C-alpha cells in the first residue's frame, strides 16, 4: 500500500461543475435528458464541450463519421497516445449519466493529471463517439465502429432515422461532418455507469467489465395486406400486427426455455399504416438476442429462423429476416481490468467483476487495441430512463480511479505490464 | 315499368371530370390518395370543392366542427331540405373513391337534376363531413357525430393527433373553423363504394345497407417499466410490448371462438419509447370489436375485460381499458332502402342487400333523421388502400340511381311514402 500516499484524486469540483453544465443540453426538466444523436440538443452539447476543450488548449478534431476528439500533446510527438472517452448522445427521454459521465470524467481526469502529475510521458485524447446509443440511427456504436474499421464509412453515413434523414445529412446540418484524420491511440479507457443493480446489491463501487456479451440485432419484416378493419371478413385478413404478436411472444419464450443464459427483446415495432381501422399491411420488428456464449446466439438464431414461417402463417402473413447486425462476444484487455482493480483496492473501494451485456464504445475499440470499460453503480440499476441516478460520491470514486489509472499508465509510458508491475 | 322512360341518368362526364380533379389532392402517384383530415392535402381538396360549389351558385356554410355544406334553394324557403354527402378525407395511403365518390356524386346528381328535373319541390344541401375516417383523429365520424348531437362539440375539438395537435387548432390552421349554423335536412342520402367483395361475388351493382353493425372501439394501455434491453435480467423485465403481444393474440382468439359473428382487430399500437434497445415502458392498443348483434359485443367486451389482468401479468405489466367508444347497432330507414331497390330495378341493375360493418356518416345521421347509404362494388373488395378501384361504369350506375332517387324524392316533396307509392 505504499502507493496510497501518492494516489491522484480527481478534481471533484470540476467534475461536478461540468456534469451540471452538460446536463442542461436536452434537459427534460425532470432530471432526464432527451439528446439523441445529431439532434439540436446533441449538437449544442457538443458545441459546448468543444469550447471547453479549446479553452483548455486541446486541439479539436472531427472525423468523417462525426466523432469528436480533443487532443493534447503533453510529451512530444513520439510519446504514446492514451484515449479516454464515451458519448454525449442519449436515449430518448434517457438519463444524464449514461455516456456523458465518461466524457466529462475524461476531461476532468486529464485536467487533474496536468495539474498534479509531474512530467508527462504520454499524450492524451478525449473521444466523444457519434451515436453510441443507436436510438435514432441504427446500429448503435456507429462512430466507434467506423473508427475501429468494423463497418464502412459510406454505409454508416447512409443510415436513416424514421423520418428518412441520413446520418450524413444530419452531420452536415449540425456541423459535425469533419475531415480530420482520427487519432490512433495505444490504449482506450472508458468510465460508465452500470446498467444493472448487481453492484448495488453486492455493495461494490468499482467494477471492470471482463467480457462483453455477443448480440444479434435482427430486423424482421412481417408482411400482410392492408384492408379495412370493418368489412374485411376475419378469415380473409392478413394482419401484420397479429403476425408480429406471435413472433414477439416466441422471442420471449426462447429466453425462457434456453439451456444457458440468453436475453431477448423486441423493443421497437414499426407498424404501417398504424391506423385504428386499417388491418396493418406491414410490421417491422427490431429484435435483440444477447448471450455471453456464442453457442447460445447460434441456437437462438436457428430457433427463431425455424419458428418464423409457422408464426407468420398463423396470421396469414409472411415474415422475413431482412438484416442481422452481429456483435461477437469477447474479452477486454485483462491487464487493464487488473489495473482497475489494483487502483480500486488502493483507494479502499469495494469492487467486483462484471460482464457487459449492453454495447459500449469500448467494445468496438477493443477489436483493435487494448481497451477497458469500468463501471460505478447506478441506483436501482436504472439506465436509459430519466430517473437514472448515480450519487456524487460514486461519480467522484469512479473519477478517482480513472485519474490514478492515468497517472500510473503515464508513468509507465503506456506499457501496461510495467504499469501493473510497478504496483505489484 | 312506366317509370323507365322518364328515369334520370347522371351527367357521367361531369361526374368523371370531378372525380379526376378531386383525385389530384393528396395523390400518391400510384392511383392512391393520402389525405387524412385537416392535412394540407385535405384543405386543398376542400378549397377546390368549395370553389366548385360557389361557381355553381351554392351557398357555402362551414359549421363549428368544420363540416362543409353547399346549399342551394331551388323551391322556396318552406320547401323540404334533402341532404346528400360523404367525406373528402382519406385514410393514410388510402384510395380515391372512399368518401370522395359520395361527395362528388352528390354534386353531379343535383346538377343533373337542376338541368333535367323540371320544377323543383325541394331544396338541397351537399355535405362534406369533417374526419369521417378517424385515421388522424379518433374517433371516426367526428363531424357527423357532432352534427347529430351524438358527441359534444368541445370534446370533439379537443381530440389530438399523435403529434399533439388538436382538431380545433387544425381547423383554424386550415381555415375550416366555421361559425355557420348547420342546415337541418329532412332526410339524408349517401353513396359509397363497398368495403367487401360480396357484391362482386354476387354480381350485384347496387346494394342498400339495411343495418349497421355495432362497434366497440377500446383503447387499452399496457404499462411496464422502461429499461435497457442489454443488462436488465429477463426476470426483472416489465415489457409493455410483450404484454401487448399477448393481448393482441387474445383479441383475435375472441373472434375465432365466438359463437356468433364477431370481427376484432388491434390495428394501431403506440409504443413508448419504441427504441430498439429500451425495454418499452408503455404500449397503447387501439382495439375494435364489431358485431351485428349487441349480445356479441357484450360478450366480447366481458371476455376481454376478464382476460386482460392475466395477459398483462404474464409480461409483469399492467393493462387498463382507458376508453371505450360505443357505436350501437341499428337499422337504416327501410323506405329509403326500398326506394334504392326500386330505382335499381328500374335501371335493370342487379342488386342485393347488405349490412355495413364499417362506420359511415349515414350511421350518425340515421340517429336523428331518415337516412340511407347504398353501395357500388369495389374491385376485390379493396378499401382503405391505394389500389382501391371502382369502374367508371359502376360509378355511373351508382350516380344514376342517386340522381333518379333525387328526382322521385323531389317530386314527392320529400314524402318517402309518397315517393314509394308513386312508383309502386
Amino acid at each position: 500500500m505504499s502507493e496510497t500516499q501518492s494516489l491522484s484524486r480527481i478534481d471533484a469540483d470540476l467534475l461536478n461543475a461540468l456534469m451540471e453544465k452538460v446536463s442542461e443540453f436536452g434537459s427534460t426538466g425532470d432530471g432526464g435528458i432527451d439528446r439523441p444523436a445529431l439532434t439540436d440538443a446533441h449538437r449544442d452539447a457538443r458545441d459546448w464541450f468543444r469550447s471547453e476543450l479549446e479553452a483548455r488548449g486541446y486541439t479539436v478534431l472531427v472525423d468523417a463519421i462525426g466523432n469528436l476528439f480533443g487532443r493534447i500533446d503533453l510529451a512530444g510527438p513520439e510519446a504514446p497516445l492514451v484515449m479516454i472517452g464515451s458519448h454525449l448522445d442519449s436515449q430518448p427521454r434517457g438519463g444524464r449519466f449514461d455516456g456523458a459521465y465518461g466524457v466529462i470524467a475524461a476531461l476532468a481526469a486529464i485536467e487533474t493529471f496536468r495539474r498534479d502529475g509531474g512530467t508527462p510521458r504520454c499524450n492524451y485524447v478525449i473521444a466523444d463517439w457519434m451515436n453510441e446509443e443507436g436510438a435514432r440511427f441504427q446500429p448503435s456504436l456507429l462512430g466507434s465502429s467506423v473508427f475501429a474499421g468494423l463497418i464502412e464509412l459510406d454505409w454508416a453515413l447512409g443510415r436513416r432515422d424514421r423520418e428518412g434523414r441520413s446520418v450524413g445529412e444530419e452531420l452536415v446540418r449540425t456541423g459535425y461532418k469533419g475531415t480530420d484524420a482520427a487519432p490512433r491511440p495505444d490504449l482506450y479507457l472508458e468510465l460508465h455507469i452500470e446498467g444493472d443493480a448487481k453492484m448495488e446489491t453486492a455493495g461494490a463501487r468499482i467494477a471492470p467489465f471482463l467480457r462483453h456479451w455477443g448480440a444479434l440485432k435482427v430486423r424482421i419484416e412481417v408482411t400482410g395486406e392492408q384492408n379495412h378493419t370493418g368489412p374485411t371478413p376475419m378469415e380473409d385478413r392478413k394482419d401484420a400486427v397479429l403476425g408480429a404478436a406471435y413472433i414477439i411472444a416466441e422471442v420471449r419464450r426462447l429466453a425462457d426455455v434456453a439451456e444457458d443464459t440468453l436475453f431477448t427483446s423486441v423493443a421497437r415495432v414499426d407498424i404501417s399504416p398504424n391506423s385504428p381501422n386499417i388491418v396493418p399491411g406491414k410490421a417491422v420488428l427490431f429484435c435483440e438476442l444477447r448471450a455471453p456464449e456464442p453457442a447460445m446466439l447460434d441456437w437462438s438464431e436457428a430457433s427463431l429462423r425455424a419458428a418464423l414461417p409457422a408464426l407468420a402463417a398463423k396470421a396469414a402473413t409472411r415474415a422475413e429476416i431482412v438484416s442481422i447486425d452481429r456483435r461477437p462476444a469477447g474479452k477486454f484487455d485483462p491487464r487493464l481490468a487488473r489495473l482497475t482493480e489494483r487502483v480500486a483496492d488502493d483507494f479502499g473501494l469495494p469492487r467486483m467483476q462484471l460482464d457487459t451485456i449492453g454495447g459500449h464504445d469500448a467494445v468496438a475499440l477493443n477489436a483493435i487495441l487494448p481497451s477497458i470499460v469500468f463501471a460505478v453503480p447506478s441506483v436501482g440499476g436504472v439506465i436509459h430512463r430519466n430517473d437514472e441516478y448515480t450519487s456524487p460520491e460514486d461519480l467522484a470514486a469512479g473519477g478517482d480511479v480513472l485519474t490514478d489509472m492515468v497517472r500510473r499508465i503515464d508513468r509507465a509510458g503506456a506499457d501496461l505490464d510495467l504499469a501493473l508491475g510497478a504496483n505489484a
Side-chain angles (χ1 to χ4, degrees), chain A:
Chain A
M1 294 292 280
S2 60
E3 276 299 318
T4 312
Q5 289 180 335
S6 55
L7 286 170
S8 273
R9 286 188 185 273
I10 200 162
D11 180 340
D13 291 341
L14 176 61
L15 176 67
N16 292 335
L18 292 171
M19 277 306 295
E20 276 302 309
K21 182 65 191 172
V22 76
S23 303
E24 292 175 11
F25 301 101
S27 168
T28 52
D30 54 2
I33 289 292
D34 193 72
R35 201 165 62 207
L38 305 182
T39 56
D40 289 356
H42 184 223
R43 175 201 58 205
D44 294 346
R46 304 188 101 188
D47 287 352
W48 164 78
F49 187 65
R50 179 182 183 132
S51 70
E52 291 287 330
L53 290 169
E54 285 168 344
R56 290 177 167 82
Y58 291 70
T59 302
V60 169
L61 305 167
V62 179
D63 71 10
I65 191 61
N67 295 315
L68 170 65
F69 303 102
R71 176 174 180 142
I72 191 146
D73 285 0
L74 305 176
E78 299 306 313
L81 181 62
V82 173
M83 179 181 271
I84 316 174
S86 196
H87 58 94
L88 290 176
D89 69 316
S90 87
Q91 286 287 331
R93 282 173 271 161
R96 60 168 66 188
F97 303 101
D98 176 1
Y101 172 49
V103 175
I104 296 303
L107 178 56
I110 295 171
E111 289 300 290
T112 305
F113 172 70
R114 285 174 75 184
R115 192 188 61 198
D116 303 341
T119 306
R121 297 186 55 189
C122 296
N123 298 322
Y124 291 88
V125 59
I126 297 168
D128 163 31
W129 303 107
M130 202 288 293
N131 188 39
E132 192 269 356
E133 293 290 3
R136 179 178 175 199
F137 299 103
Q138 286 76 46
S140 56
L141 314 185
L142 198 66
S144 51
S145 294
V146 169
F147 176 89
L150 304 178
I151 60 176
E152 296 292 326
L153 171 64
D154 285 348
W155 183 84
L157 291 171
R159 296 306 88 204
R160 291 183 187 275
D161 68 9
R162 64 186 79 188
E163 275 77 43
R165 288 168 298 201
S166 72
V167 167
E169 290 157 9
E170 288 293 277
L171 283 173
V172 170
R173 188 185 71 81
T174 55
Y176 281 88
K177 182 80 185 75
T179 54
D180 298 314
R184 307 313 308 184
D186 293 282
L187 58 88
Y188 177 70
L189 310 178
E190 184 167 353
L191 175 53
H192 209 278
I193 61 165
E194 194 197 2
D196 191 1
K198 289 199 175 76
M199 293 177 71
E200 190 175 80
T201 304
R205 297 185 65 201
I206 295 292
F209 292 128
L210 303 191
R211 300 185 300 177
H212 50 89
W213 286 28
L216 299 177
K217 307 203 171 187
V218 185
R219 208 174 286 206
I220 304 166
E221 196 170 284
V222 183
T223 306
E225 192 174 277
Q226 187 173 325
N227 242 314
H228 195 300
T229 57
T232 313
M234 293 307 289
E235 61 271 23
D236 292 348
R237 297 188 186 202
K238 299 171 181 176
D239 182 338
V241 160
L242 183 63
Y246 296 141
I247 294 167
I248 292 164
E250 174 67 10
V251 167
R252 169 71 204 207
R253 202 188 64 86
L254 289 178
D256 294 339
V257 303
E259 294 186 351
D260 197 354
T261 307
L262 174 70
F263 284 13
T264 68
S265 61
V266 177
R268 174 173 162 188
V269 187
D270 290 350
I271 299 166
S272 172
N274 210 29
S275 179
N277 50 7
I278 301 188
V279 177
K282 188 151 291 201
V284 179
L285 285 70
F286 293 68
C287 166
E288 292 182 355
L289 308 168
R290 298 175 188 256
E293 295 301 326
M296 279 314 299
L297 288 186
D298 293 346
W299 174 83
S300 64
E301 181 184 346
S303 302
L304 181 60
R305 283 187 187 279
L308 277 183
L311 295 167
K314 203 172 152 187
T317 59
R318 287 173 292 113
E320 188 190 357
I321 292 179
V322 290
S323 69
I324 302 188
D325 172 30
R326 295 172 191 275
R327 308 281 174 89
K331 288 183 171 53
F332 291 109
D333 190 282
R335 296 164 301 175
L336 284 171
R338 188 74 200 100
L339 185 64
T340 310
E341 296 179 327
R342 195 75 61 79
V343 174
D345 289 347
D346 287 345
F347 275 114
L349 293 167
R351 61 163 170 92
M352 69 187 297
Q353 298 181 332
L354 289 173
D355 290 340
T356 178
I357 306 171
H360 288 292
D361 292 307
V363 174
L365 275 283
N366 195 48
I368 56 166
L369 54 100
S371 301
I372 191 78
V373 53
F374 67 97
V376 296
S378 180
V379 171
V382 170
I383 195 168
H384 286 190
R385 220 169 67 195
N386 58 355
D387 56 341
E388 183 185 283
Y389 183 71
T390 295
S391 71
E393 294 72 25
D394 282 332
L395 293 178
D400 288 346
V401 171
L402 181 63
T403 306
D404 203 60
M405 283 174 77
V406 166
R407 183 183 63 81
R408 296 189 202 205
I409 289 167
D410 189 274
R411 197 175 52 188
D415 180 323
L416 293 176
D417 295 314
L418 190 61
L420 276 170
N423 296 285

